[in-house]
Amino acid sequence: DRDEEQADPEDESVQVDNVPEDLANDEIVEEEQTAPKRKRKRKDGEDDLEAVYMQRLQREEEKDREAAALERQAKRQKAHVESDATASTSHADEPSGQVNGNEDAAADAFDDDNNDDDDVASPPPRHETQESADVELQKANRTIFLGNVSTTAISSKSARKTLIKHLTSFFDSLPPPKDTNPPAPKLESLRFRSTPYATSIPRKAAFARKDLMDATTKSTNAYAVYSSPHLCREAAKRLNGSIILDRHLRVDVVAHPAPTDHRRCVFVGNLGFVDDESNIQDANEADGYEKRKRGKEPADVEEGLWRTFSKCGTVESVRVIRDSTTRVGKGVAYVQFEDENGVEAALGYDEKKFPPMLPRKLRVSRARAVKRNAKPGSGRPGSNATAGKTAGERGGYTRKVSGEEASRAGRAGKLYGRAAAARGIRKPEDFVFEGHRATSKSGKAGLKLGKKGKSSVGKGKPTGRSAKRGAAFKAGQRK
């Protein structure tokens, strides 16, 4: 048995050694296939984003350089062909040596031109937001604002065509352009804005259905885009104040609007909030608030101001303050004339009414200049000391600070900081003494004006104990 046990391993080893090599290799391959494969750990893709992006940029630059090289090569071949053709036609009688010299000179000159093109650096890349901003700015230079446009231009196709024809009516009267290849004069687009709609559906759907709110106002705003800035400026110059669709048209350049001058402007108040007040009158009569005679025609605030104040002078613009969504007016407007003489004539329309367009009594006054960036402590509207306060909180009248007080406040600001300078110069009635506010009625009560000192030479008789004894001794000697 021991011999058999000792012989078994030898027999097995002999059997293993006697196995053919092909079978052994197959078994090894099967073992490798059956063994579980280890999954390779994937790298985080976010780590190589920058490298991938830079490689892509590099490939794009190489493509651009190859395209530029092919383009230069095509230009060289074309130039050689042209130079050969000109040399064969114009220098047919010249010696061959001279012709070859001209060809070499032309080739060298062309190579120099190409080298110059290569030396010119390409413009730096720009972000898409900068490019879009430039496009919007160029479009603004070609856009005009149209005010007091009739709403019939939206509801009627014929009225829209009439408006477009009016906006292009000055093309034939333009002077010849100085440019060699100017763009053809053209009206590129016309967009309506600030239009009130009667339904709550989206604006585009309401515009398609033409559901306009005519009771609020009969006018709207629009923007027109021309093909060149020159046409835009000419339109603002020639069409402002013109009449189209029975309304005065206000035209202004979007990029460079006309300045507002308060010296040539009047303020008009007590205007109607809506043009058609029949609904308001019905509600007031139902509640018993007012009963008045109804007008035959509905009011028209904006066009009424154009027609009424045009009798005083040439009107440059009429601006009615309205709500941006409903186009309901706020009862005030500004009328600007071309010169100051129109303002003087317009002041005579105060407390007058001009039915049917302006059925209410107008309140006409001079327009005031808006003080912006007022200095602190100046007491002017817009200053930090008076911002957000009523006249009562400011104490009524606020006097103007003198130059000396302003310089004193400036020194206080340098010494004690901005907080001290912002407080400004106090008025005499603002000072407080010992917890009591000084007034004319209080007199000297509560004020420390100084106490009398003790007895001293030249300030009356002494009243102390020793003085009394001395006085008594002197009186006894006299007796």
Side-chain angles (χ1 to χ4, degrees):
D1 295 335
R2 293 178 183 176
D3 296 338
E4 290 179 359
E5 291 177 1
Q6 293 177 357
D8 290 337
E10 294 180 359
D11 295 339
E12 290 178 2
S13 62
V14 170
Q15 290 177 2
V16 172
D17 293 337
N18 295 332
V19 174
E21 296 180 0
D22 298 337
L23 295 175
N25 293 333
D26 293 339
E27 291 178 357
I28 294 171
V29 172
E30 289 177 0
E31 290 178 359
E32 291 180 354
Q33 291 179 354
T34 56
K37 294 183 179 180
R38 294 182 179 179
K39 293 184 179 180
R40 183 177 297 176
K41 186 178 180 181
R42 296 182 180 179
K43 294 183 179 180
D44 192 0
E46 297 181 356
D47 297 341
D48 298 335
L49 284 178
E50 185 175 0
V52 172
Y53 178 70
M54 297 303 294
Q55 291 175 2
R56 187 178 66 181
L57 288 180
Q58 186 177 1
R59 289 194 298 269
E60 292 178 356
E61 290 178 358
E62 290 177 357
K63 290 180 181 180
D64 294 339
R65 284 197 294 268
E66 292 176 358
L70 292 174
E71 185 177 359
R72 288 195 295 270
Q73 186 177 0
K75 287 182 179 180
R76 288 194 188 94
Q77 293 176 357
K78 185 178 179 180
H80 283 302
V81 172
E82 292 179 355
S83 61
D84 292 341
T86 54
S88 61
T89 54
S90 61
H91 301 284
D93 298 335
E94 294 182 359
S96 60
Q98 188 175 358
V99 174
N100 294 331
N102 293 334
E103 291 178 357
D104 296 337
D108 295 339
F110 183 76
D111 292 338
D112 294 339
D113 295 338
N114 291 331
N115 293 331
D116 294 340
D117 296 337
D118 296 339
D119 294 338
V120 177
S122 60
R126 304 182 65 186
H127 196 263
E128 56 184 2
T129 56
Q130 295 178 344
E131 295 179 357
S132 61
D134 293 344
V135 171
E136 291 296 330
L137 180 60
Q138 293 176 2
K139 189 176 181 181
N141 289 327
R142 298 183 288 109
T143 307
I144 60 173
F145 169 80
L146 304 175
N148 196 28
V149 181
S150 177
T151 53
T152 56
I154 301 176
S155 58
S156 174
K157 291 184 178 180
S158 60
R160 181 186 176 90
K161 291 181 180 179
T162 303
L163 177 61
I164 293 175
K165 185 178 180 181
H166 180 70
L167 296 177
T168 58
S169 60
F170 64 95
F171 285 175
D172 298 334
S173 60
L174 290 174
K178 298 180 181 180
D179 299 338
T180 56
N181 295 322
K186 179 183 177 183
L187 180 64
E188 295 182 355
S189 65
L190 178 64
R191 309 186 307 274
F192 295 95
R193 294 292 183 269
S194 305
T195 305
Y197 296 102
T199 58
S200 59
I201 61 178
R203 288 181 175 270
K204 290 184 178 180
F207 178 81
R209 294 175 54 180
K210 298 179 175 54
D211 294 337
L212 304 178
M213 191 184 296
D214 295 332
T216 302
T217 178
K218 300 177 181 63
S219 64
T220 183
N221 299 330
Y223 292 91
V225 182
Y226 288 94
S227 58
S228 65
H230 176 66
L231 295 175
C232 182
R233 292 190 296 267
E234 290 294 329
K237 187 186 302 181
R238 297 169 183 256
L239 301 181
N240 187 35
S242 59
I243 300 176
I244 185 66
L245 301 177
D246 296 332
R247 303 187 73 85
H248 288 75
L249 195 65
R250 178 191 169 194
V251 184
D252 201 355
V253 183
V254 173
H256 306 284
T260 302
D261 187 5
H262 70 280
R263 300 180 185 86
R264 298 184 287 114
C265 189
V266 294
F267 170 82
V268 185
N270 197 30
L271 298 173
F273 297 103
V274 295
D275 291 344
D276 190 0
E277 296 184 348
S278 58
N279 296 330
I280 299 177
Q281 292 179 8
D282 292 339
N284 290 335
E285 290 178 1
D287 296 339
Y289 289 135
E290 67 173 332
K291 293 181 180 180
R292 61 180 182 179
K293 186 178 179 181
R294 294 176 179 271
K296 296 181 180 179
E297 299 179 7
D300 194 342
V301 174
E302 193 163 357
E303 182 61 21
L305 292 174
W306 273 100
R307 297 186 183 184
T308 301
F309 287 92
S310 294
K311 303 174 184 177
C312 303
T314 304
V315 176
E316 183 176 326
S317 64
V318 173
R319 292 172 292 138
V320 180
I321 311 303
R322 299 181 183 273
D323 184 76
S324 59
T325 305
T326 61
R327 295 282 291 171
V328 174
K330 298 186 178 181
V332 296
Y334 293 91
V335 181
Q336 183 165 320
F337 297 89
E338 288 188 355
D339 55 5
E340 299 180 9
N341 295 329
V343 176
E344 301 297 333
L347 293 176
Y349 288 171
D350 189 25
E351 298 296 331
K352 293 183 180 180
K353 56 184 179 179
F354 301 90
M357 290 188 173
L358 301 175
R360 296 185 178 186
K361 288 185 179 181
L362 303 180
R363 188 174 74 253
V364 184
S365 61
R366 298 179 185 272
R368 298 179 181 179
V370 178
K371 297 292 184 181
R372 298 178 180 177
N373 299 329
K375 295 181 180 180
S378 61
R380 302 283 182 88
S383 61
N384 296 333
T386 59
K389 295 182 179 180
T390 61
E393 294 174 349
R394 293 194 301 266
Y397 171 74
T398 54
R399 62 186 180 88
K400 186 177 180 181
V401 179
S402 62
E404 183 181 356
E405 292 173 339
S407 63
R408 209 182 308 155
R411 290 195 297 271
K414 291 182 179 179
L415 292 174
Y416 303 110
R418 295 182 180 179
R423 296 177 66 181
I425 303 300
R426 292 185 178 183
K427 294 178 287 187
E429 55 268 21
D430 292 338
F431 284 98
V432 178
F433 298 95
E434 296 292 337
H436 299 280
R437 186 174 297 278
T439 59
S440 59
K441 297 180 180 179
S442 59
K444 298 180 180 180
L447 299 180
K448 294 182 179 180
L449 303 178
K451 296 181 179 179
K452 293 183 180 180
K454 295 183 179 181
S455 61
S456 58
V457 178
K459 290 187 178 181
K461 296 180 179 180
T463 57
R465 181 181 176 185
S466 59
K468 291 180 180 180
R469 291 177 62 188
F473 177 76
K474 290 180 179 179
Q477 284 183 351
R478 292 175 184 174
K479 294 178 180 180

